[in-house]
Amino acid sequence: MPKLRGEAFWRETLRSAHYVVAPMVDQSELAWRLLSRRHGAQLCYTPMLHAQVFLRDANYRRENLYGEACAEDRPLIVQFCANDPEVFVQAALLAQDYCDAIDLNLGCPQMIAKRGHYGAFLQEEWDLLQRMILLANEKLSVPITCKIRVFPEIDKTVKYAQMLEKAGCQLLTVHGRTKEQKGPLAGVASWEHIQAVRKAVSIPVFANGNIQCLSDVEECIRKTGVHGVMSAEGNLHNPALFEGRNPLVWEMAEEYLEIVQKYPCPLSYVRAHLFKLWHHTLQVYQQLREELAKVKTLEGILDVNRELKLRCQEEIANQKEGEKPKEGLPFFHWICQPYIRPGPKERCKENGASEAEKGVRGKRALEEEEDGNSELLSKNKQKKKLRNPNKSFDPSLKPKYAKCDQCGNPKGNKCVFNMCRGCCKKRAFRETADCPGHGLLFKTKYEKSLSWQSSQRVVQNPEMSRRGGVDVGEAA
């Protein structure tokens, strides 16, 4: 069948989906997608998959896509992160029979994306993106879509979207924040940027950002004119968001755990979902929060979930007439509701220090560490510091290593080729050379082999002469 494009693809293949569950790393697995679909979601994305790993690792393919076939789980879009056209397309070819479209992640703003050079950190490399989408559009039997973040300038964002459309993108999801807007610095997403993109392109557009309830979805569609609205955080805290309901938390938690028993997933995914669903309740029952963090089996998670339910039911039974929710929440903590992430000022106040004293710190301090501010350490590094108070994470104090002439990795200090061990081994083998610094003795071993073969010939020749003489004598 011919590949559907643009509006026809959205209308026929995606069934005119308006309510979309975002691709979320380790959070939009099959069990969660099924729960979301039962409560109003019309289209789901897989978690972001790493194209290179997907291409080389059969277990990764089976765990993240091949082993999850389910008739209820359609329409489905598989999202990849990649920075190489060939790798991206080869991975997509392996996935295309299990989905309705392939999405290229151009929106991830996290430090892991910066280090891996993918996601939002490709948004300045327009030539590379054009090649990736052109090749995918040519080779794949399913449409190619993209999820992007905006630039601060609306004009540049519009040109960016038009470039992707021209390259062959058939649907565009626009997250109305820049790559710098994340964690406590996320702020409000710009629907103005999304509206400008929607007017400038002819392909379908999904909006992402500022979605906490169904009224937000309706307002976003009305203001921007988009075809659909995608939710991530809002969906995690209330999977019935697209139904316009705020159910009891334990109803959603029990239904999700029931699906997990049928379609298993890693325990870390399950625990993370319960932390989101029970977020407000776990602020009240801190001991159960610790138990949920430590539990190592699904049965243990089920026990914690039951205990949380009982605590909430007891609280409801003892509730006084006219009592209102605490902590400024719109609903009582046992009801699914959005979580408003505190900004940097609020976070500093919660920690009992001013912004000037602590500095603006996000969810992770890795970026600040890389910029040279070694006082802001991640939790893992804080633990290492407790074990070894003299340990320093200051980048300026790290030893400087000379780089391999071939690949840029640290070279061996005594390598005769000025290379790392891997590159040195290849060259020494190719040239039959020695590198004592890396303990590679190809030349020496080859010369020993020749010497041994020569000595064997010398030993064998007298024996052959002697045998020849005996034979002649006996014949006489």
Side-chain angles (χ1 to χ4, degrees):
M1 293 179 63
K3 183 163 57 176
L4 295 178
R5 299 177 182 275
E7 291 275 351
F9 160 62
W10 172 72
R11 190 171 52 254
E12 297 181 33
T13 305
L14 302 186
R15 306 169 195 168
S16 301
H18 297 297
Y19 304 147
V20 186
V21 174
M24 298 173 283
V25 177
D26 298 343
Q27 292 285 267
S28 54
E29 82 286 356
L30 176 60
W32 189 260
R33 296 197 301 266
L34 293 178
L35 177 69
S36 300
R37 289 181 191 276
R38 292 180 185 181
H39 295 281
Q42 298 165 334
L43 169 65
C44 293
Y45 284 64
T46 66
M48 181 191 74
L49 305 179
H50 198 294
Q52 194 170 45
V53 180
F54 192 86
L55 183 59
R56 72 167 184 254
D57 192 335
N59 288 332
Y60 185 79
R61 294 195 293 271
R62 185 177 64 253
E63 291 167 3
N64 290 282
L65 188 63
Y66 289 4
E68 295 189 344
C70 176
E72 295 176 63
D73 191 33
R74 301 298 279 267
L76 176 70
I77 297 180
V78 172
Q79 187 188 71
F80 284 109
C81 67
N83 56 23
D84 181 282
E86 286 294 337
V87 171
F88 173 54
V89 171
Q90 291 302 316
L93 286 169
L94 292 173
Q96 65 179 359
D97 292 338
Y98 297 83
C99 62
D100 299 289
I102 299 293
D103 187 78
L104 176 60
N105 183 331
L106 301 176
C108 182
Q110 301 303 329
M111 181 54 61
I112 190 171
K114 183 177 181 180
R115 289 173 174 166
H117 193 54
Y118 58 79
F121 298 93
L122 294 178
Q123 66 179 13
E124 297 285 358
E125 300 187 34
W126 291 16
D127 289 340
L128 171 62
L129 298 181
Q130 280 181 315
R131 286 188 282 116
M132 291 178 75
I133 297 166
L134 280 167
L135 186 63
N137 193 42
E138 176 189 345
K139 299 289 187 182
L140 299 180
S141 62
V142 295
I144 177 76
T145 69
C146 297
K147 185 174 187 289
I148 65 171
R149 284 195 169 222
V150 301
F151 291 95
E153 308 83 9
I154 290 180
D155 289 347
K156 188 173 182 180
T157 303
V158 166
K159 290 177 182 176
Y160 182 42
Q162 290 173 329
M163 178 273 293
L164 296 173
E165 178 187 20
K166 187 176 179 181
C169 175
Q170 302 303 320
L171 183 147
L172 197 61
T173 299
V174 184
H175 187 154
R177 294 184 175 93
T178 65
K179 70 176 187 292
E180 290 76 26
Q181 288 181 274
K182 57 184 179 179
L185 303 178
V188 178
S190 171
W191 287 357
E192 189 180 356
H193 281 72
I194 299 172
Q195 182 186 37
V197 170
R198 172 68 189 98
K199 290 179 178 178
V201 300
S202 58
I203 57 176
V205 175
F206 290 159
N208 185 209
N210 301 345
I211 306 301
Q212 299 289 352
C213 56
L214 187 59
S215 61
D216 293 336
V217 175
E218 294 165 349
E219 185 182 2
C220 182
I221 292 175
R222 180 174 54 82
K223 286 188 174 181
T224 63
V226 292
H227 294 71
V229 171
M230 177 183 285
S231 175
E233 285 281 332
N235 165 261
L236 290 176
H237 287 277
N238 180 11
L241 180 152
F242 292 126
E243 285 184 321
R245 294 195 307 119
N246 295 90
L248 295 167
V249 173
W250 63 78
E251 288 181 5
M252 294 293 98
E254 287 174 346
E255 186 174 355
Y256 170 66
L257 291 170
E258 185 181 326
I259 298 172
V260 167
Q261 290 173 309
K262 185 176 181 182
Y263 298 100
C265 63
L267 201 66
S268 59
Y269 297 10
V270 181
R271 184 186 289 110
H273 279 301
L274 290 198
F275 271 123
K276 293 284 186 182
L277 286 170
W278 286 109
H279 174 85
H280 299 292
T281 300
L282 290 172
Q283 308 306 310
V284 179
Y285 302 115
Q286 290 287 337
Q287 183 184 352
L288 290 175
R289 179 185 181 84
E290 293 174 9
E291 288 185 24
L292 181 58
K294 293 176 182 177
V295 70
K296 298 186 183 300
T297 64
L298 184 59
E299 290 72 20
I301 286 180
L302 287 165
D303 290 340
V304 174
N305 189 68
R306 278 191 288 269
E307 182 61 26
L308 282 164
K309 177 182 176 180
L310 288 173
R311 297 277 183 99
C312 290
Q313 288 176 333
E314 286 176 10
E315 197 172 334
I316 292 170
N318 298 326
Q319 195 173 4
K320 296 177 182 178
E321 187 176 350
E323 189 175 342
K324 294 183 179 180
K326 299 176 182 178
E327 305 297 333
L329 295 177
F331 306 103
F332 290 102
H333 61 78
W334 53 80
I335 295 175
C336 290
Q337 57 193 296
Y339 165 62
I340 308 300
R341 190 188 297 274
K345 291 183 179 179
E346 291 85 350
R347 187 177 290 273
C348 289
K349 288 176 182 177
E350 287 176 6
N351 295 336
S354 67
E355 187 176 341
E357 290 173 332
K358 287 206 168 184
V360 177
R361 182 178 180 188
K363 191 172 182 180
R364 293 174 175 82
L366 293 176
E367 289 169 81
E368 289 88 342
E369 290 169 40
E370 292 202 351
D371 292 336
N373 190 349
S374 60
E375 294 181 2
L376 301 175
L377 298 178
S378 64
K379 288 183 179 179
N380 284 337
K381 289 187 177 180
Q382 288 175 23
K383 291 177 183 177
K384 290 179 182 178
K385 190 80 173 175
L386 286 173
R387 290 196 295 268
N388 181 6
N390 297 322
K391 189 172 184 63
S392 173
F393 296 99
D394 187 348
S396 64
L397 299 179
K398 289 183 179 179
K400 304 295 182 184
Y401 296 103
K403 293 184 178 180
C404 169
D405 292 344
Q406 192 72 23
C407 69
N409 288 327
K411 78 177 185 70
N413 291 331
K414 298 180 181 179
C415 178
V416 297
F417 299 119
N418 292 319
M419 293 180 174
C420 65
R421 180 176 175 78
C423 296
C424 175
K425 187 174 183 180
K426 292 176 184 176
R427 179 168 174 178
F429 177 77
R430 186 171 62 249
E431 298 180 5
T432 317
D434 285 352
C435 177
H438 279 123
L440 302 172
L441 305 174
F442 291 106
K443 181 180 178 181
T444 301
K445 290 178 180 179
Y446 179 67
E447 289 175 348
K448 284 184 177 180
S449 174
L450 291 178
S451 175
W452 181 82
Q453 290 177 8
S454 177
S455 65
Q456 287 297 104
R457 284 196 294 271
V458 171
V459 169
Q460 289 174 0
N461 285 338
E463 287 183 0
M464 292 300 294
S465 300
R466 183 178 61 79
R467 286 178 181 177
V470 169
D471 290 343
V472 171
E474 286 177 355

